[in-house]
Amino acid sequence: MSQQVIPYGKQYITETDIQAVVETLQSDYLTQGPKIKEFEDAFAQYVGSKYAVAVANGTAALHLNCLALNIKEGDKVITTPITFAASANCIRYCGGEVVFADIDPETYLLDINKVRELLEASSKGTYKGIIPVDFAGRAVDLEAFRKLADEFDLWIIEDSCHSPGGYFTDSKGQKQNCGNGEFADLAIFSFHPVKHIAAGEGGMITTNDVDLYKKLLKLRTHGITKDESSYENSIEFAGGESDYPAWYMEMQELGYNYRLTDFQAALGLSQLKRADEGLERRRDIAKKYFNAFEGKDFIKDQSGVVEGHAYHLYVIEVEDRLGLYNHLRTNKIFAQIHYIPTHLMPYYRQFGWKVGDRPIAETYYRHCISLPMFPTLTDEEQQFVIDKITEYYK
Ligand SMILES: *Cc1c(COP(=O)(O)O)cnc(C)c1O
């Protein structure tokens, strides 16, 4: 069966999505029109945050967050090595120093105990913030991270690119959605085609902090504002008499053009309406993988079925990973590896990072493989994947 390639992730575009984009293309707005605010409001409601800011992509979202939090040359920020490079790169955009802490071997998430060890080994004020990542879709326990961050006066940026719709349960038994702003200062999402919600490119920042929200709106468009109440120059200078003239605006900070287009927002909005459906399908796929591999001795570990997990990825750890990867590829199953530890990328090695520095992440990297996981994966395709894996280890 299956002559078609089965990738590890894939977008799902419906006729309704296409209609939404076409309608926007026929409207008066191509970039940042009414669909942006509509998408922001719907997204904020979906994750349960007060504010949301739509931007060009997830990396731009991370960069703007680092600017809004005022990261400067030499500031130290902690993140995980098992993530997409952008989670760390945003710190470098602002001249900060990236400090990678090791992962927890069970959850694959940034290990809070390792973070504490780093913080306690330096004088207070050495570190400025933490960027935990809801890796694979598994929600970080941000309540615990908030406590730690408060002890050391740190901010938190939650990289939720893998986890729209994910949640963890806090100490009071409450579900806390990824990106809801309850514990993290800022959170970010991506609308790249492999993510849950596809908009071509696109990103979202969520927060409950009104000051950060206003700052982000400005930074998204060149640092320019048209909010009269914040103007610094006088009405007289602006060329008005008793009011600021309609043409007037101020560039108050050094911002960027990180806007999202209106037709991308329309696509994101249309996809968001189906997000829960997709999430449910992802959880079903996870359950089927888990049951198929439970107790099999070739599986070193698999993340299992975890409550609140958004299953952007389904990762297993196996012996002879290269052999399995090649066997799957021969059968047109394009599994993927997430991730090559960021601290060992040549760019980061120049700062002194070397093999052996983060042993748990490095061991994980030698065994991990992400299996096909996307809502339109059919039962037959998934069974084919399972059969080919089982066959390899026979
Ligand atoms: C995809 C991703 C990003 C970057 O998002 P883009 O929209 O591709 O810029 C950042 N962090 C993580 C964890 C991601 O998966």
Side-chain angles (χ1 to χ4, degrees):
M1 71 150 278
S2 192
Q3 289 310 296
Q4 289 231 310
V5 163
I6 306 177
Y8 84 91
K10 191 179 173 180
Q11 75 272 21
Y12 172 33
I13 304 289
T14 64
E15 207 43 56
T16 312
D17 291 340
I18 294 167
Q19 242 2 79
V21 173
V22 170
E23 271 168 36
T24 309
L25 287 174
Q26 290 165 335
S27 78
D28 289 338
Y29 295 89
L30 281 190
T31 193
Q32 204 158 300
K35 285 290 165 195
I36 295 291
K37 188 73 171 79
E38 216 184 301
F39 187 29
E40 288 171 341
D41 289 348
F43 197 88
Q45 199 183 1
Y46 183 68
V47 301
S49 70
K50 282 194 185 144
Y51 310 103
V53 179
V55 293
N57 54 62
T59 306
L62 284 164
H63 186 195
L64 288 188
N65 282 357
C66 290
L67 290 169
L69 292 166
N70 208 19
I71 297 189
K72 291 185 303 291
E73 195 78 30
D75 285 354
K76 285 188 177 186
V77 179
I78 298 172
T79 191
T80 166
I82 299 299
T83 184
F84 184 59
S87 314
N89 294 351
C90 60
I91 303 160
R92 293 293 309 137
Y93 295 159
C94 299
E97 184 184 327
V98 185
V99 180
F100 298 96
D102 215 339
I103 59 165
D104 177 319
E106 299 297 317
T107 63
Y108 309 149
L109 304 175
L110 184 62
D111 185 339
I112 193 165
N113 298 315
K114 297 284 165 53
V115 175
R116 176 177 282 284
E117 279 169 27
L118 282 171
L119 295 172
E120 285 177 349
S122 308
S123 57
K124 222 169 156 173
T126 306
Y127 290 91
K128 303 295 181 198
I130 314 175
I131 307 183
V133 179
D134 300 312
F135 170 71
R138 186 169 184 149
V140 170
D141 180 351
L142 284 176
E143 187 184 27
F145 270 98
R146 183 77 263 169
K147 261 190 216 149
L148 180 63
D150 286 346
E151 236 180 276
F152 290 87
D153 290 328
L154 308 174
W155 46 252
I156 298 173
I157 298 173
E158 179 187 12
D159 183 337
S160 314
C161 283
H162 295 183
S163 63
Y167 64 85
F168 75 97
T169 305
D170 71 11
S171 59
K172 296 189 189 84
Q174 299 286 317
K175 285 181 185 176
Q176 298 288 348
N177 286 340
C178 296
N180 73 358
E182 190 66 30
F183 301 107
D185 298 273
L186 294 158
I188 71 116
F189 295 86
S190 162
F191 307 123
H192 180 279
V194 297
K195 309 290 162 74
H196 289 57
I197 298 162
E201 298 278 356
M204 193 71 82
I205 304 165
T206 57
T207 183
N208 288 349
D209 183 320
V210 67
D211 294 326
L212 286 173
Y213 171 63
K214 286 184 178 164
K215 207 162 175 191
L216 289 164
L217 290 180
K218 249 196 292 189
L219 289 169
R220 171 175 69 180
T221 33
H222 311 280
I224 289 172
T225 183
K226 278 191 78 83
D227 172 15
E228 270 194 43
S229 68
S230 80
Y231 285 165
E232 294 170 24
N233 285 329
S234 66
I235 292 173
E236 196 180 33
F237 164 80
E241 283 166 354
S242 53
D243 289 307
Y244 286 95
W247 71 72
Y248 190 70
M249 49 83 172
E250 283 186 358
M251 184 205 132
Q252 298 176 335
E253 300 184 48
L254 188 61
Y256 293 80
N257 175 0
Y258 279 163
R259 290 186 299 262
L260 187 69
T261 68
D262 232 36
F263 49 95
Q264 286 172 302
L267 180 53
L269 193 57
S270 179
Q271 293 246 319
L272 180 61
K273 291 181 184 142
R274 288 202 318 277
D276 281 335
E277 238 173 86
L279 203 54
E280 217 171 291
R281 178 69 190 132
R282 285 172 184 275
R283 287 177 177 152
D284 284 345
I285 292 169
K287 223 170 282 173
K288 187 167 169 176
Y289 276 137
F290 183 76
N291 291 334
F293 301 135
E294 202 183 3
K296 292 277 195 288
D297 58 5
F298 58 83
I299 299 276
K300 187 165 168 283
D301 208 350
Q302 58 176 346
S303 49
V305 183
V306 179
E307 205 205 323
H309 200 305
Y311 289 106
H312 165 59
L313 303 174
Y314 193 86
V315 179
I316 56 173
E317 284 185 79
V318 295
E319 295 304 336
D320 187 19
R321 192 259 315 268
L322 178 62
L324 176 64
Y325 175 83
N326 287 335
H327 177 70
L328 293 178
R329 257 186 111 78
T330 305
N331 287 285
K332 294 193 176 171
I333 298 164
F334 285 21
Q336 189 50 283
I337 306 307
H338 298 94
Y339 288 97
I340 303 159
T342 314
H343 69 289
L344 297 178
M345 287 291 177
Y347 174 79
Y348 283 101
R349 285 190 192 230
Q350 72 177 301
F351 303 105
W353 293 99
K354 58 188 189 311
V355 171
D357 281 346
R358 294 297 175 253
I360 297 167
E362 293 166 30
T363 301
Y364 163 82
Y365 167 60
R366 286 197 283 277
H367 296 282
C368 69
I369 184 163
S370 306
L371 304 181
M373 168 57 86
F374 51 93
T376 53
L377 181 72
T378 66
D379 287 341
E380 295 71 37
E381 285 171 329
Q382 189 182 6
Q383 192 56 51
F384 181 68
V385 174
I386 291 167
D387 291 346
K388 289 295 155 192
I389 294 171
T390 317
E391 171 187 297
Y392 181 72
Y393 286 104
K394 253 195 192 127

